[in-house]
Amino acid sequence: MKTINLLFSIDDNYFEQLKTTLFSLRNNTPNTFFRVFVLQKKKFDWENEFKKFCSALNMCYKPLIIGANDFKYAPVTKRYPETIYYRLLAQDYLPKDVEKILYLDADILCINDISSLYDLKLNSYLYAAASHSQLTNLTTVVNKVRLQNYDTEQYYNSGVLLINVVQARHIINHKIIYDFIREKRATLLLPDQDILNSLFGDQILSLPDQVYNFDARKNLTYEMISNGTWDLDWVINNTIFLHFCGKEKPWEKNGKGKFAALYKHYAHLSKLTAAKID
């Protein structure tokens, strides 16, 4: 059976959302064993419950506990919390046998098989990621000026990252990231994403966002720029990840948007699975 390594970085507030994401992954990627690595500051109160939930989905939960002093020299403020470093330095915490891993934000829903993404050959690329630049070209231009990385073609979203862990162990370290933040902190708006693009943007394999990182807020924009091709039927049949970017989230009581009902359906099924375990 095929094994896929998954990576998340959450706090106590995203327990239910993580379960929904995992259920959607399980539901749409059969005949696969998942190792679920979670970067976390400390042991969660719900750890035993989560282990049982993962086991029921043929997944194995692997907590990656960040030591209390691991980031004591990191530039940290209210705007730049310690958690911004976790996904960029995940290779320091992963077991040596992990050579590739897929990082996902916990506000993502999987609606088709992820094998096409995980099986990509990264070769010498550090990451594979998608840009949302086709949704607004102006943002790409502004980011190039702001971050002064004119050689990079895109500004990549860090919510879906296929990570070449072997390459990352050779190239990325704490000092590179700390020094960059100290030098550029005045211009950083989305810290972890800005770091990713500024330091490693030219080492990212570009993915089509309409397939691998569909911004669920922008369904009308996708349909318009594709001359009607990327409509709802196309998304349901072809898109791998719906990413619920922004402040409004589909799990909220008054969550809106074309895909909010689909998310709530998966969340409901996830809760039913958890209830059966109990």
Side-chain angles (χ1 to χ4, degrees), residues 7 39 64 85-94 101 163 165:
L7 179 67
L39 290 158
L64 301 174
Y85 300 100
Y86 292 175
R87 82 189 71 177
L88 297 174
L89 293 168
Q91 59 278 354
D92 293 348
Y93 298 91
L94 289 165
I101 198 164
I163 305 174
V165 180

Side-chain angles (χ1 to χ4, degrees), residues 6-261:
L6 299 174
L7 179 67
F8 297 89
S9 178
I10 67 165
D11 57 24
D12 281 322
N13 298 318
Y14 266 76
F15 177 45
E16 293 300 328
Q17 290 83 354
L18 178 55
K19 288 196 295 184
T20 300
T21 298
L22 291 176
F23 181 86
S24 70
L25 284 157
R26 171 76 289 152
N27 194 65
N28 291 290
T29 309
N31 303 316
T32 303
F33 176 70
F34 290 94
R35 292 200 294 175
V36 181
F37 294 92
V38 181
L39 290 158
Q40 52 195 79
K41 185 66 178 178
K42 58 181 178 61
K43 181 178 179 180
F44 292 131
D45 293 336
W46 40 259
E47 186 169 290
N48 289 334
E49 178 185 348
F50 188 60
K51 283 181 179 178
K52 293 177 182 177
F53 178 83
C54 287
S55 180
L57 298 180
N58 195 26
M59 298 178 171
C60 182
Y61 167 50
K62 301 281 189 179
L64 301 174
I65 306 298
I66 306 297
N69 296 317
D70 285 26
F71 292 94
K72 64 181 179 181
Y73 299 115
V76 173
T77 65
K78 184 176 181 180
R79 187 179 177 192
Y80 310 118
E82 183 180 302
T83 52
I84 70 171
Y85 300 100
Y86 292 175
R87 82 189 71 177
L88 297 174
L89 293 168
Q91 59 278 354
D92 293 348
Y93 298 91
L94 289 165
K96 295 300 181 184
D97 69 313
V98 175
E99 298 183 349
K100 179 196 290 186
I101 198 164
L102 178 61
Y103 170 84
L104 297 172
D105 281 349
D107 58 356
I108 282 175
L109 193 68
C110 173
I111 61 172
N112 279 296
D113 195 314
I114 71 170
S115 297
S116 63
L117 173 57
Y118 197 80
D119 291 343
L120 278 178
K121 301 296 184 183
L122 289 173
N123 299 320
S124 61
Y125 285 103
L126 262 177
Y127 302 102
S131 168
H132 290 144
S133 61
Q134 64 176 335
L135 303 179
T136 167
N137 289 326
L138 176 61
T139 301
T140 299
V141 174
V142 169
N143 283 325
K144 285 188 176 185
V145 174
R146 179 171 62 86
L147 300 174
Q148 298 181 350
N149 57 339
Y150 300 102
D151 294 333
T152 302
E153 291 298 319
Q154 308 284 353
Y155 181 82
Y156 295 98
N157 182 276
S158 62
V160 177
L161 289 175
L162 185 63
I163 305 174
N164 184 340
V165 180
V166 175
Q167 282 288 92
R169 288 187 179 117
H170 288 301
I171 294 172
I172 305 174
N173 60 57
H174 288 64
K175 187 177 186 304
I176 292 173
I177 294 174
Y178 292 179
D179 289 348
F180 176 81
I181 291 181
R182 289 191 181 99
E183 181 183 351
K184 302 287 187 179
R185 68 170 67 208
T187 62
L188 301 182
L189 298 178
L190 301 169
D192 62 305
Q193 205 157 269
D194 286 349
I195 296 167
L196 176 77
N197 283 275
S198 295
L199 293 178
F200 313 116
D202 60 348
Q203 300 177 69
I204 298 176
L205 177 63
S206 186
L207 301 172
D209 60 309
Q210 70 272 16
V211 177
Y212 296 112
N213 195 338
F214 189 101
D215 186 336
R217 301 169 298 179
K218 305 289 187 178
N219 59 286
L220 293 178
T221 306
Y222 281 110
E223 193 166 344
M224 180 182 69
I225 63 178
S226 67
N227 293 319
T229 298
W230 300 336
D231 59 8
L232 179 60
D233 288 335
W234 187 94
V235 171
I236 294 301
N237 287 313
N238 296 279
T239 294
I240 309 299
F241 294 125
L242 293 174
H243 192 178
F244 294 90
C245 309
K247 293 181 179 179
E248 293 186 4
K249 300 299 185 183
W251 55 81
E252 295 172 348
K253 186 176 181 179
N254 297 315
K256 300 176 182 178
K258 180 172 283 190
F259 300 105

